[in-house]
Every structure is written in structure tokens, then in C-alpha cells.
Amino acid sequence: MALRGTPPPIVVTQADHDRLSDLASAALRNMPAVGEFLAEELDRARVVAPTEIAPTIVTMNSRVEFRDDQTGEVRTATLVYPGDQDIAAGKISILTPVGAALIGLEEGQSIVWETRSGAQKSLTVLKVLFQPEAQERQESALP
């Protein structure tokens, strides 16, 4: 899998970057295309503290509404770690092409990549419905 054109800038938290870098390295053995795609995404990401991430950016365990730009289908999913995925419950693993594409994107951003078969895929983040870092900031601000 390779990115097409100029990819949008992405932002990830330090905690997500550290854990996902390890996952990407491990995935290179069994799922080289997805592992490489995720590693490339992490390499180009701007890394920030969890308190600095905007609530409109997809982080791990975020619930996001996005559009498949080829079909126009709008989906809602939660981005999760391997082992927590459950397609029926709308939980997408970071170690899938869609999961790796979503991480770090902000509402309104699109990403285009090429699959191993040469097909072009594109998605656009419409709305971050829940982000754990934003939720944590809200809860810590309560009296």
C-alpha cells in the first residue's frame, strides 16, 4: 500500500505514537503492507502531548464518522487496537488499511492510498464523535 499524491498533515499523541510504532514493527512480519503503511504514517506525523491534541483529530479509541470517497458510503467506527476489533460493533483495528489511514486525520481531511492490487482508495473524516483525550480534559475540568 502506498500513499497517492501529497498526504494531508497528521497529528498523533506521544502515547499513541509509541505504542503504534511497536505495533507497526511487529506487523511487518505478518502483514507487511499494513505495517509499512502505518509506519510511514507515524514517521510523517507531528507528535504532541495528549493534552495538546485537538478534539477534532482521530486518535486511538476515537469514534469517527467517515466517508468512503469511491462509494459515497458514510460509516461510523471506533479505531481500536488489534484484538479489540469487532466489525459488527463498528470497531476497526489500526492494523487494517482503513484504520491506518484514519489515525491522525482531522475533521474535513481526506487521504488517498493505493492498494497492493493498484486500486485507489480514498476516505474523508466527517466528524470525530468521541475522542478519549478530549473526554479526559472535560472530566478533569469538572469541579
Side-chain angles (χ1 to χ4, degrees):
M1 294 180 340
L3 288 173
R4 295 286 303 249
T6 304
I10 61 172
V11 182
V12 297
T13 66
Q14 184 68 58
D16 283 351
H17 190 274
D18 293 347
R19 188 165 178 196
L20 294 176
S21 293
D22 291 342
L23 273 176
S25 294
L28 287 172
R29 289 182 290 255
N30 301 327
M31 302 161 34
V34 174
E36 185 175 317
F37 181 41
L38 179 57
E40 288 170 0
E41 289 295 270
L42 294 170
D43 285 346
R44 69 183 191 82
R46 184 167 62 93
V47 180
V48 299
T51 56
E52 296 175 14
I53 194 117
T56 54
I57 294 176
V58 179
T59 63
M60 289 306 299
N61 298 303
S62 288
R63 186 148 185 81
V64 59
E65 182 178 89
F66 65 95
R67 179 183 60 236
D68 178 317
D69 295 329
Q70 278 69 39
T71 67
E73 177 186 5
V74 174
R75 295 177 54 191
T76 300
T78 301
L79 185 60
V80 298
Y81 289 99
D84 294 331
Q85 71 269 10
D86 181 346
I87 297 299
K91 295 180 178 183
I92 297 176
S93 171
I94 186 67
L95 289 182
T96 62
V98 170
L102 283 169
I103 191 71
L105 288 179
E106 187 166 16
E107 290 176 0
Q109 283 185 316
S110 300
I111 189 167
V112 179
W113 72 95
E114 189 174 295
T115 66
R116 285 181 287 163
S117 65
Q120 186 171 300
K121 293 286 188 178
S122 173
L123 63 79
T124 300
V125 173
L126 302 174
K127 182 83 176 150
V128 176
L129 303 167
F130 170 83
Q131 182 203 70
E133 293 81 4
Q135 180 71 27
E136 191 172 303
R137 282 192 300 271
Q138 272 186 330
E139 290 172 0
S140 68
L142 293 175

